[in-house]
Amino acid sequence: MVPEVGASPSSMAQPRGVKRRAAWVRDSYRRQNALFLAPYLLGTLVLVVVPALMTLAVSFTDYQGIQAPTWVGLDNFRRLTETPLVRFSLYNTLIFVVAAVPLRLLGSLGLALLLDGRRGGGLARAAAFLPTVLPETAYALVWLWILNPVSGPLNLMLGALGLPAPAWMAEAGTARLAIVLMALMQVGEGFVVLLVARQMVPAGVYEAAEVDGANRWQGFWHITLPLIMPWILLLLSRDLIVSVQNTFTPSFVLAYGGPYYSTTFLPLLIFELSFDFMDWGLASAVLVIVYAWILLLIWGARNLIEGLRRREVSDAR
Amino acid sequence: MRGRVATVLVHLARLGIALLSLLPLYWAVIISLRQSGQPPTTTLEWWPQSFHWDTYAEVFRTVPMARYARNSLFVVSLALPLTLLTASLAGFALTQLTTAWRQRLVTASVALLLVPGLAVWTFRFHILNLLGLVDTLWALIVPGLAGGSPLFVLLFYWAYWRVPHELYESARLDGADAWTVWRLVALPLARPTTIAAALLAFVLYWGDFTTPVLYIYSTKMYTLPIGLQLLRQMDETNLPLLMAAAVMMALPIVVFVVLVQVLFLRDRSLANMVDIE
Amino acid sequence: MKRIGKVLLIGLVVSLLLSGCVTAPEKGKQVSFMISGEPAEVAAYQALVDAFQAKYPQIHIDLRSVANSGDYMKQLVTAFSAGAQPDVMLLNHRRLAQFAAQGGLEVLGAYLDKSQGLHAADLYPQALEAYTWDGKTWCIPQNVSSLVVYYNRALFDAAGVAYPAAGWTWENFLAAARALTRDLDGDGKTDQYGVGVSAELMRLAPFIWQNGGELLDDAATPTKLALDTPEALAAFQWFVDLQVKEHVAPDASAEQAQGSEARFENGSLGMFFNSRRTVTTFRTIAALDWDVAPLPQGVTAASILHSDGYCMSAKSKVKDAAWTFIEFANGAEGQTIMAGTGRTVPSLRAVAESAAFLDPNQRPAHSRVFLDVIPSLRHMPNLPKWPSIEETASNEIERAFYGQATVEEAAAMAISQTLTYFEQTK
């Protein structure tokens, strides 16, 4: 039915025929290509783009789900500044990002260096990757028990070591810390990216350095780190985004945003505004802010990477 | 001598990381082997005190978990191949476009990757409702038609982009159509990416909690995550039962990850798992 | 390629067959009916639907259930927004105004007036009144549950305290709570508590009313919460002192370690505040010797209504059939079926007074307490933004209850943070 690769000898003889046939193949090739893209583009349009645009539109309306939305201009954005909940959750999200992102980056980097594939360690890599892909609700439920102040294994272990046993989800500070801890266990994607980056550093570079008498630490600091820096920055921008979005399940399952709003992060706020308060105009306005913030971060990270590349180029000269 | 000490230390550290990562799941397994309904103890246990495998059976007696598992399997078994097929084809097609279009579509895909799920949930319901798919398992499967997530399309795109373009070009000049180039040239070269995408897609559909909550309301069409929620709702204090259900939900993924590591990926291993540029 | 195609084709065919199996056949009129509940409750509603179906075979009831009440709102709200709302749904009276104000609900007062089988006079007025908003009756109350004190008789016996009885006071209650709070193993930590109560407005409100306070500054045209009046503050302080000063209730960490409901179930809690809801679970625990008593009273007696009602969506295309179902569900037969779960206090007097509810062979021994308190029942205000107000206030109450703020601070914060919701209602 379909010609196998390299199996069209007959047309070789006639240059003209080849040309016409090539044009036809090229066209049908393009058509096929478009066909390949169609489900993805159409599906994404229908299932992601249109709903997202509807949400965007709703941010300029008063919409509570039942009556048709009515246009209110920028009123929802004005209300954002007046709603204490928005302030709380912005603050919480910021705290989480500031605490979790650097820790997650360091964790990814540490794992990538330690679990480098050159000398085995495959199962350790699989183990470290696992928490990232476990079903979220099941994993959060396991943590709910681990963090139990009295019968949870974490506090039992701390107690056995003679360390203070915090009340975890019952207090604002430790509740946030617990969510950060959970996020720190799930750095699988980041460490894999850095693993790849590390492996792409040519071995010859290290050999040359060893001749110069560099030790491991110097090798890392002067060779590996600069070479994988663009990847770290890429990961940084990705993690900034992920940290804003991925706090939903842990804070929802573990404490429903409590105690006293301390784990009410932006996604949970949007959830509550939409489905509990039925204030979709306001919820959409928060979403728009989140999205704008993310775009800004990406833009910043991109500029940073570009700047770094340019400096590298000029250094090389 | 110093080198040997360092090697031992590295191995110890690796072991430590592996154990630490597995600890939450291991603790869950220990608790799940207690008798259903048994209250938690206040002593630390490192080894199961008993082996009440019946707790696992109890999960199925308490809620119709077998039916939920069947539903979840049905969703995964259709959505997973569909996702891989559409994402792989779209990723390949992206590499064959003109530079301008390719850049446009890749940028758009990256931008879409950033759209939070919350922005989509509600109005996707409107669309599924128009299509008559609400309260059918198809509501959970249709995202597969769109490649599951732009992430999968981008993963495939990046994998195919690394393949020297002369390979595609020469096959094309030999008169092969796009389908053939994809199937015989591109696909075999992106096997690690396909496996990685399969794992991530499996996780996506298997653990999905929000979508079924919003789009399914007939009890007979509930999926596993809803079953877990039901168990929690019925008795939040029955830890052995809850942990048994959680462990059962996690098990296929554990098996998947280990299989991927042991059977398919050799030393460069998870390298292609998440692969940016 | 052929193989992939074949696999996909087979998959498609199989799934089509499967989906064909689970689609209900459409016959006669379809009425969708949405509820939330755990499997036992869903089974009771299924029995209700089956009984209805046997009597009215021409109407098909499509029962939709959501496991969790939080998820229920999520799905209900989404369905409404897409115009895919159920014809009949169960709604808490505190949500009524939220849906009614947007024109989502059908006014059922006129249906009730015309009904042959169901009469307003047969229902407890305290329940029916809670479904009145903007001068109209919107839904039919399914139950008239309320806040009571569940108590562990064995623990009372062991502490030598008399069982609570009607007319007991805040002082009696506190004395009992103190006697029941004990450190059993002498390690300096309390392991049996006197009181378990969730720190939220639904629990605090009746005590404010008992002390002569109000929740709103003006019942007719409310502009803010009135938690800062001397009466309200005194009740708030008394409520908070149970934990902060008297330590007869678990603190935040203890509550996190083990919830009060679980403590009551395993026999380490003397008194537990809840509505009728927990009866179903407590009945299954043979070792637990429990009963119910009315709330202790302050200056006056008061308790708070917990009720869900059958509501009809305004856009239903099968209103008559939907009403026929509501009429049946809230009639003697339907109410009797639902009373069988033990979870509801029937809103229909005849069924509430019957053995279906007051079954002497079923615990609690004093089920009648639920009926005795009905005259003193009050309900949460009906305001379109009430859920937001209540949740914000509850967060402040929780903070004060666990000693992270004084009652004055918490009351002031609750008032200032909810002002915006009152303004939006105007």
Side-chain angles (χ1 to χ4, degrees), chain C residues 345-372:
Chain C
V345 180
S347 57
L348 203 63
R349 283 171 200 272
V351 177
E353 292 283 353
S354 77
F357 179 67
L358 296 172
D359 185 350
N361 299 319
Q362 282 279 23
R363 297 187 292 174
H366 292 86
S367 248
R368 177 162 280 286
V369 163
F370 286 100
L371 306 184
D372 292 341

PDB file of all heavy atoms in Angstrom, chain C residues 345-372:
ATOM      1  N   VAL C 345     -33.960  13.692  60.223  1.00  0.00           N
ATOM      2  CA  VAL C 345     -35.109  13.923  61.098  1.00  0.00           C
ATOM      3  C   VAL C 345     -36.229  14.363  60.159  1.00  0.00           C
ATOM      4  O   VAL C 345     -36.150  15.440  59.578  1.00  0.00           O
ATOM      5  CB  VAL C 345     -34.807  15.038  62.128  1.00  0.00           C
ATOM      6  CG1 VAL C 345     -36.017  15.263  63.028  1.00  0.00           C
ATOM      7  CG2 VAL C 345     -33.576  14.700  62.935  1.00  0.00           C
ATOM      8  N   PRO C 346     -37.248  13.524  59.965  1.00  0.00           N
ATOM      9  CA  PRO C 346     -38.263  13.824  58.951  1.00  0.00           C
ATOM     10  C   PRO C 346     -38.921  15.178  59.172  1.00  0.00           C
ATOM     11  O   PRO C 346     -39.188  15.565  60.315  1.00  0.00           O
ATOM     12  CB  PRO C 346     -39.284  12.695  59.117  1.00  0.00           C
ATOM     13  CG  PRO C 346     -38.527  11.596  59.776  1.00  0.00           C
ATOM     14  CD  PRO C 346     -37.520  12.256  60.656  1.00  0.00           C
ATOM     15  N   SER C 347     -39.142  15.894  58.083  1.00  0.00           N
ATOM     16  CA  SER C 347     -39.780  17.199  58.192  1.00  0.00           C
ATOM     17  C   SER C 347     -41.292  17.062  58.239  1.00  0.00           C
ATOM     18  O   SER C 347     -42.007  18.007  58.547  1.00  0.00           O
ATOM     19  CB  SER C 347     -39.369  18.074  57.006  1.00  0.00           C
ATOM     20  OG  SER C 347     -39.719  17.424  55.796  1.00  0.00           O
ATOM     21  N   LEU C 348     -41.785  15.866  57.903  1.00  0.00           N
ATOM     22  CA  LEU C 348     -43.219  15.600  57.907  1.00  0.00           C
ATOM     23  C   LEU C 348     -43.586  15.105  59.317  1.00  0.00           C
ATOM     24  O   LEU C 348     -43.107  14.064  59.758  1.00  0.00           O
ATOM     25  CB  LEU C 348     -43.520  14.522  56.859  1.00  0.00           C
ATOM     26  CG  LEU C 348     -44.913  14.425  56.279  1.00  0.00           C
ATOM     27  CD1 LEU C 348     -45.274  15.689  55.525  1.00  0.00           C
ATOM     28  CD2 LEU C 348     -45.000  13.217  55.350  1.00  0.00           C
ATOM     29  N   ARG C 349     -44.431  15.864  60.003  1.00  0.00           N
ATOM     30  CA  ARG C 349     -44.751  15.544  61.392  1.00  0.00           C
ATOM     31  C   ARG C 349     -45.164  14.090  61.578  1.00  0.00           C
ATOM     32  O   ARG C 349     -44.696  13.409  62.490  1.00  0.00           O
ATOM     33  CB  ARG C 349     -45.922  16.400  61.880  1.00  0.00           C
ATOM     34  CG  ARG C 349     -45.587  17.814  62.217  1.00  0.00           C
ATOM     35  CD  ARG C 349     -46.899  18.551  62.460  1.00  0.00           C
ATOM     36  NE  ARG C 349     -46.742  19.986  62.344  1.00  0.00           N
ATOM     37  CZ  ARG C 349     -46.385  20.763  63.359  1.00  0.00           C
ATOM     38  NH1 ARG C 349     -46.154  20.249  64.532  1.00  0.00           N
ATOM     39  NH2 ARG C 349     -46.264  22.056  63.184  1.00  0.00           N
ATOM     40  N   ALA C 350     -46.062  13.628  60.703  1.00  0.00           N
ATOM     41  CA  ALA C 350     -46.629  12.297  60.875  1.00  0.00           C
ATOM     42  C   ALA C 350     -45.526  11.236  60.900  1.00  0.00           C
ATOM     43  O   ALA C 350     -45.549  10.304  61.711  1.00  0.00           O
ATOM     44  CB  ALA C 350     -47.613  12.004  59.756  1.00  0.00           C
ATOM     45  N   VAL C 351     -44.511  11.386  60.006  1.00  0.00           N
ATOM     46  CA  VAL C 351     -43.439  10.400  59.954  1.00  0.00           C
ATOM     47  C   VAL C 351     -42.474  10.605  61.120  1.00  0.00           C
ATOM     48  O   VAL C 351     -41.987   9.645  61.720  1.00  0.00           O
ATOM     49  CB  VAL C 351     -42.698  10.486  58.594  1.00  0.00           C
ATOM     50  CG1 VAL C 351     -41.543   9.506  58.562  1.00  0.00           C
ATOM     51  CG2 VAL C 351     -43.654  10.219  57.450  1.00  0.00           C
ATOM     52  N   ALA C 352     -42.221  11.870  61.478  1.00  0.00           N
ATOM     53  CA  ALA C 352     -41.312  12.150  62.591  1.00  0.00           C
ATOM     54  C   ALA C 352     -41.844  11.542  63.890  1.00  0.00           C
ATOM     55  O   ALA C 352     -41.090  11.030  64.708  1.00  0.00           O
ATOM     56  CB  ALA C 352     -41.140  13.656  62.752  1.00  0.00           C
ATOM     57  N   GLU C 353     -43.166  11.580  64.053  1.00  0.00           N
ATOM     58  CA  GLU C 353     -43.768  11.064  65.279  1.00  0.00           C
ATOM     59  C   GLU C 353     -43.982   9.549  65.213  1.00  0.00           C
ATOM     60  O   GLU C 353     -44.407   8.943  66.191  1.00  0.00           O
ATOM     61  CB  GLU C 353     -45.120  11.754  65.531  1.00  0.00           C
ATOM     62  CG  GLU C 353     -45.007  13.232  65.885  1.00  0.00           C
ATOM     63  CD  GLU C 353     -44.566  13.458  67.340  1.00  0.00           C
ATOM     64  OE1 GLU C 353     -44.471  12.464  68.102  1.00  0.00           O
ATOM     65  OE2 GLU C 353     -44.291  14.622  67.695  1.00  0.00           O
ATOM     66  N   SER C 354     -43.703   8.941  64.080  1.00  0.00           N
ATOM     67  CA  SER C 354     -43.971   7.505  63.918  1.00  0.00           C
ATOM     68  C   SER C 354     -42.758   6.678  64.326  1.00  0.00           C
ATOM     69  O   SER C 354     -41.688   7.207  64.612  1.00  0.00           O
ATOM     70  CB  SER C 354     -44.325   7.197  62.465  1.00  0.00           C
ATOM     71  OG  SER C 354     -43.134   7.188  61.694  1.00  0.00           O
ATOM     72  N   ALA C 355     -42.956   5.367  64.325  1.00  0.00           N
ATOM     73  CA  ALA C 355     -41.877   4.445  64.685  1.00  0.00           C
ATOM     74  C   ALA C 355     -40.747   4.475  63.659  1.00  0.00           C
ATOM     75  O   ALA C 355     -39.624   4.071  63.957  1.00  0.00           O
ATOM     76  CB  ALA C 355     -42.420   3.034  64.822  1.00  0.00           C
ATOM     77  N   ALA C 356     -41.043   4.970  62.458  1.00  0.00           N
ATOM     78  CA  ALA C 356     -39.989   5.047  61.447  1.00  0.00           C
ATOM     79  C   ALA C 356     -38.836   5.892  61.967  1.00  0.00           C
ATOM     80  O   ALA C 356     -37.679   5.633  61.665  1.00  0.00           O
ATOM     81  CB  ALA C 356     -40.532   5.651  60.151  1.00  0.00           C
ATOM     82  N   PHE C 357     -39.169   6.904  62.757  1.00  0.00           N
ATOM     83  CA  PHE C 357     -38.120   7.742  63.330  1.00  0.00           C
ATOM     84  C   PHE C 357     -37.856   7.403  64.796  1.00  0.00           C
ATOM     85  O   PHE C 357     -36.717   7.287  65.228  1.00  0.00           O
ATOM     86  CB  PHE C 357     -38.491   9.224  63.195  1.00  0.00           C
ATOM     87  CG  PHE C 357     -37.457  10.143  63.793  1.00  0.00           C
ATOM     88  CD1 PHE C 357     -36.203  10.240  63.234  1.00  0.00           C
ATOM     89  CD2 PHE C 357     -37.745  10.886  64.935  1.00  0.00           C
ATOM     90  CE1 PHE C 357     -35.235  11.066  63.795  1.00  0.00           C
ATOM     91  CE2 PHE C 357     -36.779  11.711  65.496  1.00  0.00           C
ATOM     92  CZ  PHE C 357     -35.531  11.809  64.927  1.00  0.00           C
ATOM     93  N   LEU C 358     -38.930   7.217  65.556  1.00  0.00           N
ATOM     94  CA  LEU C 358     -38.767   7.012  67.004  1.00  0.00           C
ATOM     95  C   LEU C 358     -38.684   5.532  67.363  1.00  0.00           C
ATOM     96  O   LEU C 358     -39.094   5.131  68.444  1.00  0.00           O
ATOM     97  CB  LEU C 358     -39.938   7.664  67.743  1.00  0.00           C
ATOM     98  CG  LEU C 358     -40.040   9.179  67.611  1.00  0.00           C
ATOM     99  CD1 LEU C 358     -41.338   9.687  68.228  1.00  0.00           C
ATOM    100  CD2 LEU C 358     -38.847   9.861  68.263  1.00  0.00           C
ATOM    101  N   ASP C 359     -38.186   4.707  66.479  1.00  0.00           N
ATOM    102  CA  ASP C 359     -38.083   3.274  66.700  1.00  0.00           C
ATOM    103  C   ASP C 359     -37.389   2.966  68.041  1.00  0.00           C
ATOM    104  O   ASP C 359     -36.213   3.264  68.214  1.00  0.00           O
ATOM    105  CB  ASP C 359     -37.263   2.670  65.546  1.00  0.00           C
ATOM    106  CG  ASP C 359     -37.214   1.151  65.620  1.00  0.00           C
ATOM    107  OD1 ASP C 359     -37.648   0.600  66.654  1.00  0.00           O
ATOM    108  OD2 ASP C 359     -36.745   0.538  64.639  1.00  0.00           O
ATOM    109  N   PRO C 360     -38.116   2.398  69.003  1.00  0.00           N
ATOM    110  CA  PRO C 360     -37.520   2.167  70.327  1.00  0.00           C
ATOM    111  C   PRO C 360     -36.393   1.132  70.291  1.00  0.00           C
ATOM    112  O   PRO C 360     -35.584   1.074  71.219  1.00  0.00           O
ATOM    113  CB  PRO C 360     -38.706   1.671  71.164  1.00  0.00           C
ATOM    114  CG  PRO C 360     -39.709   1.191  70.174  1.00  0.00           C
ATOM    115  CD  PRO C 360     -39.515   1.970  68.929  1.00  0.00           C
ATOM    116  N   ASN C 361     -36.326   0.337  69.228  1.00  0.00           N
ATOM    117  CA  ASN C 361     -35.271  -0.665  69.154  1.00  0.00           C
ATOM    118  C   ASN C 361     -33.972  -0.114  68.559  1.00  0.00           C
ATOM    119  O   ASN C 361     -32.994  -0.834  68.416  1.00  0.00           O
ATOM    120  CB  ASN C 361     -35.732  -1.853  68.309  1.00  0.00           C
ATOM    121  CG  ASN C 361     -36.937  -2.513  68.927  1.00  0.00           C
ATOM    122  OD1 ASN C 361     -37.007  -2.680  70.153  1.00  0.00           O
ATOM    123  ND2 ASN C 361     -37.909  -2.851  68.095  1.00  0.00           N
ATOM    124  N   GLN C 362     -34.033   1.146  68.153  1.00  0.00           N
ATOM    125  CA  GLN C 362     -32.854   1.736  67.541  1.00  0.00           C
ATOM    126  C   GLN C 362     -32.266   2.788  68.456  1.00  0.00           C
ATOM    127  O   GLN C 362     -32.985   3.488  69.169  1.00  0.00           O
ATOM    128  CB  GLN C 362     -33.249   2.399  66.204  1.00  0.00           C
ATOM    129  CG  GLN C 362     -33.442   1.435  65.051  1.00  0.00           C
ATOM    130  CD  GLN C 362     -32.119   1.021  64.420  1.00  0.00           C
ATOM    131  OE1 GLN C 362     -31.072   1.100  65.052  1.00  0.00           O
ATOM    132  NE2 GLN C 362     -32.184   0.563  63.194  1.00  0.00           N
ATOM    133  N   ARG C 363     -30.946   2.917  68.448  1.00  0.00           N
ATOM    134  CA  ARG C 363     -30.327   4.011  69.178  1.00  0.00           C
ATOM    135  C   ARG C 363     -30.412   5.275  68.318  1.00  0.00           C
ATOM    136  O   ARG C 363     -30.493   5.176  67.096  1.00  0.00           O
ATOM    137  CB  ARG C 363     -28.870   3.649  69.482  1.00  0.00           C
ATOM    138  CG  ARG C 363     -28.802   2.422  70.385  1.00  0.00           C
ATOM    139  CD  ARG C 363     -27.405   2.151  70.834  1.00  0.00           C
ATOM    140  NE  ARG C 363     -26.547   1.719  69.729  1.00  0.00           N
ATOM    141  CZ  ARG C 363     -25.221   1.536  69.853  1.00  0.00           C
ATOM    142  NH1 ARG C 363     -24.634   1.758  70.997  1.00  0.00           N
ATOM    143  NH2 ARG C 363     -24.500   1.130  68.822  1.00  0.00           N
ATOM    144  N   PRO C 364     -30.406   6.451  68.883  1.00  0.00           N
ATOM    145  CA  PRO C 364     -30.330   6.772  70.305  1.00  0.00           C
ATOM    146  C   PRO C 364     -31.658   6.527  71.021  1.00  0.00           C
ATOM    147  O   PRO C 364     -32.722   6.631  70.402  1.00  0.00           O
ATOM    148  CB  PRO C 364     -29.996   8.266  70.304  1.00  0.00           C
ATOM    149  CG  PRO C 364     -30.585   8.774  69.043  1.00  0.00           C
ATOM    150  CD  PRO C 364     -30.459   7.666  68.046  1.00  0.00           C
ATOM    151  N   ALA C 365     -31.575   6.228  72.306  1.00  0.00           N
ATOM    152  CA  ALA C 365     -32.780   5.963  73.091  1.00  0.00           C
ATOM    153  C   ALA C 365     -33.689   7.190  73.108  1.00  0.00           C
ATOM    154  O   ALA C 365     -34.905   7.076  73.092  1.00  0.00           O
ATOM    155  CB  ALA C 365     -32.386   5.565  74.513  1.00  0.00           C
ATOM    156  N   HIS C 366     -33.078   8.373  73.138  1.00  0.00           N
ATOM    157  CA  HIS C 366     -33.871   9.597  73.190  1.00  0.00           C
ATOM    158  C   HIS C 366     -33.897  10.327  71.851  1.00  0.00           C
ATOM    159  O   HIS C 366     -33.581  11.515  71.776  1.00  0.00           O
ATOM    160  CB  HIS C 366     -33.343  10.524  74.288  1.00  0.00           C
ATOM    161  CG  HIS C 366     -33.565  10.000  75.660  1.00  0.00           C
ATOM    162  ND1 HIS C 366     -32.681   9.133  76.272  1.00  0.00           N
ATOM    163  CD2 HIS C 366     -34.590  10.193  76.537  1.00  0.00           C
ATOM    164  CE1 HIS C 366     -33.149   8.818  77.479  1.00  0.00           C
ATOM    165  NE2 HIS C 366     -34.303   9.439  77.664  1.00  0.00           N
ATOM    166  N   SER C 367     -34.309   9.617  70.811  1.00  0.00           N
ATOM    167  CA  SER C 367     -34.425  10.266  69.502  1.00  0.00           C
ATOM    168  C   SER C 367     -35.402  11.436  69.569  1.00  0.00           C
ATOM    169  O   SER C 367     -35.322  12.372  68.790  1.00  0.00           O
ATOM    170  CB  SER C 367     -34.923   9.269  68.448  1.00  0.00           C
ATOM    171  OG  SER C 367     -33.911   8.999  67.507  1.00  0.00           O
ATOM    172  N   ARG C 368     -36.322  11.340  70.529  1.00  0.00           N
ATOM    173  CA  ARG C 368     -37.341  12.379  70.662  1.00  0.00           C
ATOM    174  C   ARG C 368     -36.725  13.754  70.930  1.00  0.00           C
ATOM    175  O   ARG C 368     -37.353  14.780  70.624  1.00  0.00           O
ATOM    176  CB  ARG C 368     -38.315  11.975  71.775  1.00  0.00           C
ATOM    177  CG  ARG C 368     -39.387  12.988  72.066  1.00  0.00           C
ATOM    178  CD  ARG C 368     -40.548  12.424  72.828  1.00  0.00           C
ATOM    179  NE  ARG C 368     -41.483  11.700  71.996  1.00  0.00           N
ATOM    180  CZ  ARG C 368     -42.334  12.282  71.157  1.00  0.00           C
ATOM    181  NH1 ARG C 368     -42.359  13.578  71.012  1.00  0.00           N
ATOM    182  NH2 ARG C 368     -43.176  11.567  70.447  1.00  0.00           N
ATOM    183  N   VAL C 369     -35.496  13.760  71.463  1.00  0.00           N
ATOM    184  CA  VAL C 369     -34.819  15.038  71.710  1.00  0.00           C
ATOM    185  C   VAL C 369     -34.833  15.902  70.451  1.00  0.00           C
ATOM    186  O   VAL C 369     -35.065  17.105  70.511  1.00  0.00           O
ATOM    187  CB  VAL C 369     -33.350  14.785  72.168  1.00  0.00           C
ATOM    188  CG1 VAL C 369     -32.500  16.037  72.043  1.00  0.00           C
ATOM    189  CG2 VAL C 369     -33.337  14.277  73.605  1.00  0.00           C
ATOM    190  N   PHE C 370     -34.621  15.245  69.305  1.00  0.00           N
ATOM    191  CA  PHE C 370     -34.594  15.993  68.042  1.00  0.00           C
ATOM    192  C   PHE C 370     -35.932  16.682  67.767  1.00  0.00           C
ATOM    193  O   PHE C 370     -35.984  17.721  67.125  1.00  0.00           O
ATOM    194  CB  PHE C 370     -34.251  15.061  66.875  1.00  0.00           C
ATOM    195  CG  PHE C 370     -32.798  14.664  66.832  1.00  0.00           C
ATOM    196  CD1 PHE C 370     -32.386  13.432  67.315  1.00  0.00           C
ATOM    197  CD2 PHE C 370     -31.854  15.520  66.297  1.00  0.00           C
ATOM    198  CE1 PHE C 370     -31.051  13.062  67.270  1.00  0.00           C
ATOM    199  CE2 PHE C 370     -30.517  15.160  66.243  1.00  0.00           C
ATOM    200  CZ  PHE C 370     -30.116  13.926  66.735  1.00  0.00           C
ATOM    201  N   LEU C 371     -37.030  16.057  68.236  1.00  0.00           N
ATOM    202  CA  LEU C 371     -38.346  16.665  68.024  1.00  0.00           C
ATOM    203  C   LEU C 371     -38.645  17.702  69.103  1.00  0.00           C
ATOM    204  O   LEU C 371     -39.243  18.736  68.831  1.00  0.00           O
ATOM    205  CB  LEU C 371     -39.436  15.580  68.023  1.00  0.00           C
ATOM    206  CG  LEU C 371     -39.208  14.429  67.038  1.00  0.00           C
ATOM    207  CD1 LEU C 371     -40.396  13.478  67.049  1.00  0.00           C
ATOM    208  CD2 LEU C 371     -38.973  14.964  65.634  1.00  0.00           C
ATOM    209  N   ASP C 372     -38.179  17.419  70.326  1.00  0.00           N
ATOM    210  CA  ASP C 372     -38.444  18.343  71.432  1.00  0.00           C
ATOM    211  C   ASP C 372     -37.810  19.708  71.215  1.00  0.00           C
ATOM    212  O   ASP C 372     -38.334  20.720  71.672  1.00  0.00           O
ATOM    213  CB  ASP C 372     -37.922  17.748  72.756  1.00  0.00           C
ATOM    214  CG  ASP C 372     -38.736  16.527  73.169  1.00  0.00           C
ATOM    215  OD1 ASP C 372     -39.872  16.377  72.646  1.00  0.00           O
ATOM    216  OD2 ASP C 372     -38.253  15.720  73.976  1.00  0.00           O
TER     217      ASP C 372
END
